[in-house]
């Protein structure tokens, strides 16, 4: 992995964040996300003398041998791509960022086989054998180009086997076109399937209608049932979009879980094609709904159960792992999205946007990648340089950063604070929760 540049942090930025939980007093050392428990006396001392606290935190924040530098701009080899195989969708959801796969005219045709194979060749030729390689299918609705999906899976497997690569697949789908052949293809492979489901039949049909205005819930649940009943190797998850005015999470999440999904992730709209993105007062309400739901999940986990809310489960695992990064995701680093015409973009939401275009298969533009990675580093974000959440939130999604508001950032920090407390509670009540599971 090449180190391209270094971007100094803000020297006055806070190196720690103090918080408490149901089991005591704690401090998060912001760089490298290290959490320490404090006795009552230590907490009082910490809070009384800000200068000494800062000095101690800076000492505890020192980089250890082999740890990635948080100021570094590195350029890894692409390790994961999504292929935008379809430029159409059989549904017509008003908030769709992809314009049903057409990306405001930037993607008029679906992907052909030569384009897909060229992207796969490029990815698999350079990918690192030491880490998994992932090929994702997106659109529009990717199953509208089913033949290409099938071909890519077999083609990529052949090349990956020759190179000794650990190959995995993913797909984001509305689920209404799933056929037995698709399910068969996925079951026998490492496939992560994310299905868009927005609640019970009433909410889902209102938010995710067909172009003729009919609902899609019945088709979704019918087509999905065999996979839910017997997922094989498929990791199935639901993704629920939350729009302004539909923030009642608990009932909607329960309705989605009742379909049989093992977990559901909720995703608030920060940008929307139909003006339904969350704004202002929506954020405190969303936070309250999300934390109420998470508290229930935490109570279940404390007594031996699983956490079914993906957002919460992922946050806890990341905190446990000491996740700390100057980037919110792999976009433009190890991850790219390939448009139907073969152009590579930093991610799937940037398709058709020249600011995020970084070349074509076989000819990635190193200078454009470098510029993107420098500009998107959290130390380059004026709003974020001094924020205590800077290495956990990492500036949030690049595509949504321009819609950042005081309210949306307050939501992020309050959610992080909740997750940090929940982590301390869970790791005390149930330390085995974070042990790797034994595979029999
Ligand atoms: S919470 Fe807001 S200011 Fe803080 S790192 Fe995230 S996006 Fe930046
Ligand atoms: S920039 Fe945003 S949409 Fe794109 S990969 Fe990152 S988090 Fe996802």
């Amino acid at each position: 992995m090449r180190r391209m540049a270094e971007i100094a942090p803000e020297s006055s930025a806070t190196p720690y964040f103090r918080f408490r939980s149901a089991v005591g007093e704690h401090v998060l050392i912001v760089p490298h996300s290290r959490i320490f428990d404090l006795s009552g006396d230590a907490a009082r001392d910490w809070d009384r003398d800000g200068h000494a606290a800062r000095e101690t935190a800076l000492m505890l924040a020192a980089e250890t041998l082999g740890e990635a530098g948080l100021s570094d701009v590195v350029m890894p080899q692409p390790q994961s791509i999504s292929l935008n195989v379809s430029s159409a969708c059989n549904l017509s959801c008003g908030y769709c960022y992809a314009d049903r796969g057409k990306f405001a005219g930037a993607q008029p045709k679906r992907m052909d086989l030569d384009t897909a194979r060229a992207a796969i060749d490029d990815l698999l030729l350079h990918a690192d054998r030491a880490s998994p390689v992932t090929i994702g299918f997106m659109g529009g609705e990717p199953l509208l180009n089913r033949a290409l999906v099938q071909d890519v899976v077999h083609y990529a497997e052949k090349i990956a086997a020759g190179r000794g690569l650990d190959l995995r697949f993913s797909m984001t789908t509305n689920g209404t076109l799933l056929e037995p052949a698709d399910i068969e293809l996925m079951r026998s492979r490492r496939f992560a399937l994310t299905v868009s489901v927005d609640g019970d039949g009433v909410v889902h049909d209102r938010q995710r209608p067909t172009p003729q205005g009919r609902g899609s819930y019945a088709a979704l649940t019918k087509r999905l049932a065999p996979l839910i009943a017997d997922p094989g190797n498929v990791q199935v998850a639901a993704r629920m979009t939350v729009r302004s005015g539909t923030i009642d999470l608990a009932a909607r999440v329960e309705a989605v879980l009742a379909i049989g999904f093992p977990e559901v992730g909720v995703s608030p709209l920060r940008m929307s094609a139909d003006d339904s993105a969350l704004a202002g007062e929506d954020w405190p309400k969303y936070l309250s709904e999300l934390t109420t739901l998470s508290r229930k999940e935490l109570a279940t986990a404390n007594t031996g159960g699983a956490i079914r809310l993906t957002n919460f489960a992922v946050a806890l695992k990341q905190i446990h792992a000491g996740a700390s990064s100057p980037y919110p995701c792999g976009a433009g680093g190890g991850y790219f999205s390939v448009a139907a015409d073969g152009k590579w973009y930093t991610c799937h939401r940037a398709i058709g946007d020249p600011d995020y275009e970084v070349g074509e298969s076989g000819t990635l533009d190193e200078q454009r990648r470098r510029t993107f990675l420098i500009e998107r580093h959290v130390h380059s974000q004026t709003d974020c340089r001094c924020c205590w959440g800077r290495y956990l939130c990492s500036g949030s999604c690049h595509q949504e950063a321009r819609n950042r508001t005081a309210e949306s950032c307050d939501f992020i920090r309050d959610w992080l604070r909740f997750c940090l407390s929940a982590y301390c509670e869970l790791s005390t009540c149930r330390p085995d929760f974070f042990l790797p599971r034994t595979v029999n």
Side-chain angles (χ1 to χ4, degrees):
M1 202 182 298
R2 281 164 301 155
R3 184 160 166 264
M4 311 299 296
E6 197 174 337
I7 306 174
E10 174 62 54
S11 57
S12 63
T14 180
Y16 69 88
F17 174 66
R18 269 274 293 121
F19 64 100
R20 47 185 62 90
S21 74
V23 293
E25 302 283 344
H26 320 275
V27 61
L28 168 79
I29 303 301
V30 171
H32 306 292
S33 303
R34 295 171 183 144
I35 296 173
F36 294 89
D37 297 335
L38 299 174
S39 67
D41 285 347
R44 268 186 296 280
D45 288 348
W46 192 287
D47 295 339
R48 196 169 41 228
D49 187 346
H51 178 73
R54 183 179 168 83
E55 292 302 306
T56 308
L58 287 173
M59 217 170 60
L60 294 170
E63 228 165 87
T64 58
L65 200 65
E67 213 162 28
L70 292 167
S71 299
D72 293 352
V73 178
V74 293
M75 205 189 293
Q77 287 295 344
Q79 197 71 13
S80 164
I81 56 171
S82 55
L83 300 175
N84 288 267
V85 297
S86 166
S87 60
C89 186
N90 59 321
L91 300 187
S92 184
C93 315
Y95 52 71
C96 178
Y97 71 85
D99 182 25
R100 302 177 64 208
K102 295 224 164 352
F103 288 91
Q107 189 164 257
K109 288 197 304 196
R110 66 190 196 168
M111 186 175 277
D112 64 32
L113 202 50
D114 287 346
T115 305
R117 287 187 172 197
I120 301 298
D121 288 344
D122 195 10
L123 172 74
L124 299 184
L125 180 65
H126 303 291
D128 180 0
R129 284 190 186 84
S131 308
V133 187
T134 306
I135 297 170
F137 298 100
M138 306 193 97
E141 170 49 49
L143 289 175
L144 283 171
N145 200 354
R146 170 173 293 112
L148 183 135
V149 170
Q150 295 261 354
D151 184 282
V152 163
V153 168
H154 296 297
Y155 179 74
E157 274 180 343
K158 220 154 108 190
I159 300 179
R163 289 211 60 225
L165 292 164
D166 173 6
L167 182 61
R168 302 173 187 196
F169 299 97
S170 70
M171 182 184 285
T172 302
T173 175
N174 64 41
T176 60
L177 300 175
L178 268 174
E179 289 187 352
D182 305 320
I183 295 177
E184 220 29 67
L185 180 85
M186 294 175 193
R187 264 193 197 128
S188 53
R189 298 178 164 85
R190 299 284 297 266
F191 229 108
L193 188 73
T194 302
V195 185
S196 305
V197 199
D198 285 356
D200 63 14
V202 175
V203 177
H204 184 89
D205 284 348
R206 193 167 58 227
Q207 294 197 178
R208 306 184 62 78
T210 67
Q212 296 75 32
R214 287 196 292 274
S216 59
Y217 185 80
L220 160 74
T221 45
K222 184 171 168 226
R223 300 278 186 137
L224 200 63
L227 186 64
I228 295 273
D230 177 13
N233 289 332
V234 185
Q235 198 190 327
V236 194
R239 180 181 185 276
M240 190 177 101
T241 299
V242 182
R243 307 158 76 211
S244 179
T246 61
I247 300 180
D248 49 327
L249 294 190
R252 290 173 60 193
V253 164
E254 279 311 323
V256 174
L257 290 169
I259 297 172
F261 286 98
E263 57 176 276
V264 52
V266 294
S267 178
L269 270 178
R270 287 185 164 85
M271 291 162 69
S272 163
D274 67 355
D275 238 9
S276 60
L278 271 61
E281 278 310 297
D282 288 327
W283 287 109
K285 180 157 174 20
Y286 177 66
L287 176 72
S288 159
E289 292 275 327
L290 193 62
T291 50
T292 302
L293 202 57
S294 300
R295 266 192 206 99
K296 275 173 70 184
E297 294 288 303
L298 178 63
T300 308
N302 278 340
T303 53
I307 291 182
R308 305 162 306 163
L309 184 63
T310 312
N311 313 51
F312 189 36
V314 168
L316 292 172
K317 278 182 198 144
Q318 287 183 334
I319 291 169
H320 179 72
S324 178
S325 169
Y327 296 101
C329 60
Y335 170 62
F336 296 86
S337 195
V338 184
D341 63 2
K343 287 185 183 143
W344 286 46
Y345 292 86
T346 52
C347 90
H348 50 280
R349 281 179 68 170
I351 299 295
D353 186 336
D355 289 348
Y356 296 91
E357 191 187 318
V358 286
E360 299 189 7
S361 300
T363 55
L364 275 194
D365 186 327
E366 302 251 315
Q367 186 53 42
R368 287 187 75 91
R369 280 187 73 190
R370 185 175 187 275
T371 304
F372 175 83
L373 291 169
I374 289 175
E375 285 177 354
R376 300 314 312 170
H377 192 287
V378 78
H379 292 171
S380 305
Q381 310 291 310
T382 316
D383 295 340
C384 308
R385 287 170 62 84
C386 290
C387 174
W388 68 261
R390 61 192 178 276
Y391 303 120
L392 284 169
C393 160
S394 314
S396 75
C397 169
H398 306 311
Q399 292 301 312
E400 295 171 346
R402 71 183 86 123
N403 285 29
R404 196 185 280 145
T405 61
E407 289 90 352
S408 66
C409 285
D410 283 347
F411 160 74
I412 292 170
R413 283 183 290 259
D414 286 345
W415 170 241
L416 285 175
R417 182 203 314 257
F418 172 82
C419 291
L420 286 165
S421 301
Y423 170 73
C424 292
E425 188 178 328
L426 186 57
S427 54
T428 302
C429 297
R430 212 186 131 197
D432 67 300
F433 186 88
F434 296 100
L435 293 177
R437 289 213 198 111
T438 312
V439 181
N440 294 315

